[in-house]
């Protein structure tokens, strides 16, 4: 959110996201996904997922591409 000028020029965004709260105030994966989608990006890939010993997905890297609509 702190890079509106750069985001406006970006074609791709690669971001590490968490699916569970690991620290106070952190946005979770669904919030980041929704925000990037609202700003003209669509998810293009999921990489490097990290799982707990119980098999719960904790984190992953998400790749977003500027959508054809451009948002």
């Amino acid at each position: 959110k702190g890079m509106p000028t750069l985001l406006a020029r970006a074609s791709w965004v690669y971001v590490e996201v968490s699916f569970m709260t690991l620290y106070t105030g952190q946005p979770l994966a669904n919030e980041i996904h929704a925000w990037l989608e609202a700003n003209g990006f669509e998810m293009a890939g999921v990489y490097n997922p990290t799982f707990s010993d119980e098999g719960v997905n904790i984190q992953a890297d998400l790749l977003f591409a500027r959508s054809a609509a451009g948002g």
Side-chain angles (χ1 to χ4, degrees):
K1 289 182 177 180
M3 53 179 244
T5 303
L6 182 59
L7 187 66
R9 296 185 352 229
S11 297
W12 300 91
V13 174
Y14 190 77
V15 60
E16 179 184 85
V17 299
S18 298
F19 298 100
M20 61 177 49
T21 302
L22 301 175
Y23 59 88
T24 304
Q26 131 187 45
L28 295 179
N30 62 327
E31 297 169 86
I32 294 169
H33 183 233
W35 186 82
L36 283 167
E37 197 169 72
N39 283 277
F41 289 85
E42 57 191 4
M43 192 161 55
V46 179
Y47 304 92
N48 306 312
T50 302
F51 296 91
S52 71
D53 292 339
E54 295 78 28
V56 175
N57 190 208
I58 299 171
Q59 292 181 304
D61 297 332
L62 303 182
L63 177 64
F64 291 84
R66 178 144 325 263
S67 67

